[in-house]
């Protein structure tokens, strides 16, 4: 055995020394040492890289609570209303995190906000889908939120009647995911963006907060389900909750920084203001008014049109006034109903274009008349609509539309 081992050793480039020991040649020893040094160097490099990875960095402004600073998560913050809310919060020195999957929102709106507030620790944007529970949990784990303003939702009545499951998933199911994360991480305040569509078609006007909720389309039903979940959870929670049921939103930022820019494929389902502007710019041949036989003054639907600037003001006041273990439910409107025909005439004057109008049969899921009684929100939050001139709100929005003919895309 000894001679066999020695023979193999000699075959491996070794030399026999006194005492029968084998000695590696210097060249072989140098190769081994080189490999050891290489492995140590690579290991050290990996450690350095890991320490600089996000999970190893020291806490950022967004991941830690800071006295005197309120960190608000704005879901759907790249959308029409959400982006205006984020702008107002940033102007008021809140710290803002926007979460949006950009299915309805615009990255361009986020870039505008980033340009206006480039300072570290003011604004961050996270691309994520609220239907992804793991992604939502990661967002809440890595950020210290003091409050959540939950805007994210698909929001077209007509589309909801054609694809109801999308609405129940996007609104009801996604709100449950957000609510579970809010509960796990003990977020102090939740401001929920709801809708007058939860009331359906009440027998009596104006609508007050205790008006029975009998929604008649999937959009309103999905929102009511989300409200019910929030209300049930709040019964055994210390969280402060505000639910804002608002009416038809119009207008844009008075300083022209933000506006409404729906995706082209959604124009058919969009707000009447967007359709009016598209007709005025020649994007579509004319405006289609659906339904002229409602039991209203001129046969067209009557709505309460609220300027987006007033709407976000109501959200900020709700955030400021929210109290632990309390739920506030408020209608956000002007308290005055305007018919679709009145709206069209105001739009013609605002744009200076004699828009062609086609009158068509009713759209499924619409209701004849809806407008609010804003007395409660005035009493509790000291809020009332200031921008109530329909034509002036449309003029502000039209100005943005003219300077942004392709929305946020240059």
């Amino acid at each position: 055995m000894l001679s066999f081992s020695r023979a193999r050793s000699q075959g491996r480039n070794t030399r026999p020394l006194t005492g029968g020991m084998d000695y590696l040649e210097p060249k072989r020893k140098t190769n081994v040492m080189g490999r050891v040094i290489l492995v140590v160097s690579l290991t050290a490099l990996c450690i350095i890289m890991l320490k600089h990875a996000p999970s190893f960095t020291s806490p950022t402004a967004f991941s830690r609570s800071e006295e005197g600073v309120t960190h608000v998560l704005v879901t759907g913050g790249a959308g029409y209303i959400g982006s205006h809310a984020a702008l107002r919060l940033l102007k008021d020195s809140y710290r803002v995190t926007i979460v949006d999957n950009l299915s309805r929102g615009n990255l361009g709106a986020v870039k505008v906000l980033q340009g206006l507030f480039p300072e570290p620790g003011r604004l961050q944007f996270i691309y994520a889908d609220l239907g992804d529970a793991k992604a939502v949990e990661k967002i809440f784990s890595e950020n210290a939120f003091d409050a959540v303003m939950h805007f994210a939702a698909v929001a077209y009545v007509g589309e909801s009647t054609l694809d109801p499951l999308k609405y129940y998933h996007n609104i009801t199911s996604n709100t449950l995911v957000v609510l579970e994360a809010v509960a796990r991480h003990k977020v102090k305040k939740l401001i929920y963006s709801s809708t007058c569509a939860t009331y359906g078609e009440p027998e009596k006007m104006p609508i007050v907060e205790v008006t029975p909720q009998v929604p008649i389309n999937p959009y309103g039903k999905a929102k009511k389900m989300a409200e019910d979940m929030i209300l049930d959870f709040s019964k055994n929670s210390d969280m402060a909750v505000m639910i804002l049921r608002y009416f038809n939103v119009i207008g844009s930022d008075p300083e022209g920084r933000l506006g409404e820019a729906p995706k082209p494929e959604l124009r058919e389902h969009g707000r009447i203001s967007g359709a009016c502007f598209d007709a005025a710019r020649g994007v579509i041949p004319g405006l289609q008014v659906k339904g002229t036989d409602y039991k209203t003054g001129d046969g067209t639907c009557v709505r309460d049109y609220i300027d987006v600037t007033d709407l976000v003001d109501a959200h900020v006041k709700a955030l400021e006034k929210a109290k632990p273990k309390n739920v506030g439910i408020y209608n956000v409107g002007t308290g005055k109903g305007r018919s679709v025909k009145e709206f069209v005439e105001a739009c013609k004057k605002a744009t200076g274009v004699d828009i062609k109008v086609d009158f068509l049969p009713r759209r499924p899921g619409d209701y004849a008349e809806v407008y609010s009684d804003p007395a409660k929100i005035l009493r509790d939050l000291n809020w009332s609509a200031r921008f109530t001139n329909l034509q002036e709100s449309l003029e502000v929005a039209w100005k943005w539309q003219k300077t942004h003919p392709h929305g946020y895309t240059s």
Side-chain angles (χ1 to χ4, degrees), residues 151-326:
F151 291 98
V154 286
Y156 296 133
V157 168
E159 184 189 36
S160 78
T161 63
L162 298 173
D163 193 355
L165 295 184
K166 173 190 285 187
Y167 275 67
Y168 291 119
H169 177 82
N170 181 273
I171 295 173
T172 311
S173 178
N174 287 6
T175 297
L176 177 59
V177 173
V178 172
L179 189 59
E180 288 174 333
V182 164
R184 280 193 301 271
H185 294 273
K186 295 181 172 56
V187 178
K188 297 175 183 176
K189 297 181 180 182
L190 173 64
I191 315 299
Y192 183 58
S193 171
S194 192
T195 171
C196 65
T198 63
Y199 294 112
E201 194 166 13
E203 296 179 359
K204 185 179 178 181
M205 287 290 148
I207 294 174
V208 294
E209 286 76 4
V210 294
T211 295
Q213 290 177 285
V214 189
I216 63 172
N217 53 60
Y219 170 57
K221 292 175 183 177
K223 280 287 190 178
K224 185 181 182 300
M225 288 181 187
E227 280 192 20
D228 289 342
M229 289 190 305
I230 294 169
L231 292 173
D232 285 342
F233 167 72
S234 69
K235 292 174 183 176
N236 298 302
S237 169
D238 293 337
M239 186 173 62
V241 174
M242 290 289 199
I243 295 174
L244 303 184
R245 297 171 184 157
Y246 47 86
F247 291 67
N248 294 63
V249 188
I250 60 171
S252 63
D253 171 44
E255 296 183 39
R257 295 163 293 189
L258 298 171
E260 183 179 11
K263 306 283 173 138
E265 64 272 17
L266 296 171
R267 282 196 168 101
E268 179 185 352
H269 303 294
R271 294 179 177 85
I272 185 174
S273 55
C276 277
F277 295 145
D278 282 347
R281 291 191 290 118
V283 175
I284 57 177
L287 182 64
Q288 295 181 340
V289 174
K290 297 179 180 180
T292 59
D293 59 347
Y294 291 99
K295 293 180 180 179
T296 60
D298 59 21
T300 61
C301 294
V302 171
R303 298 289 183 266
D304 189 340
Y305 296 99
I306 174 88
D307 192 287
V308 68
T309 301
D310 282 330
L311 179 60
V312 298
D313 183 51
H315 279 77
V316 173
K317 279 189 166 59
L319 178 62
E320 294 170 348
K321 300 281 188 178
K323 297 178 181 179
K325 298 184 180 181
N326 276 274

Side-chain angles (χ1 to χ4, degrees), residues 367-382:
Y367 28 83
E369 185 177 35
V370 57
Y371 60 94
S372 71
D373 178 352
K376 183 183 178 184
I377 193 170
L378 173 61
R379 182 179 66 249
D380 291 359
L381 305 186
N382 193 31

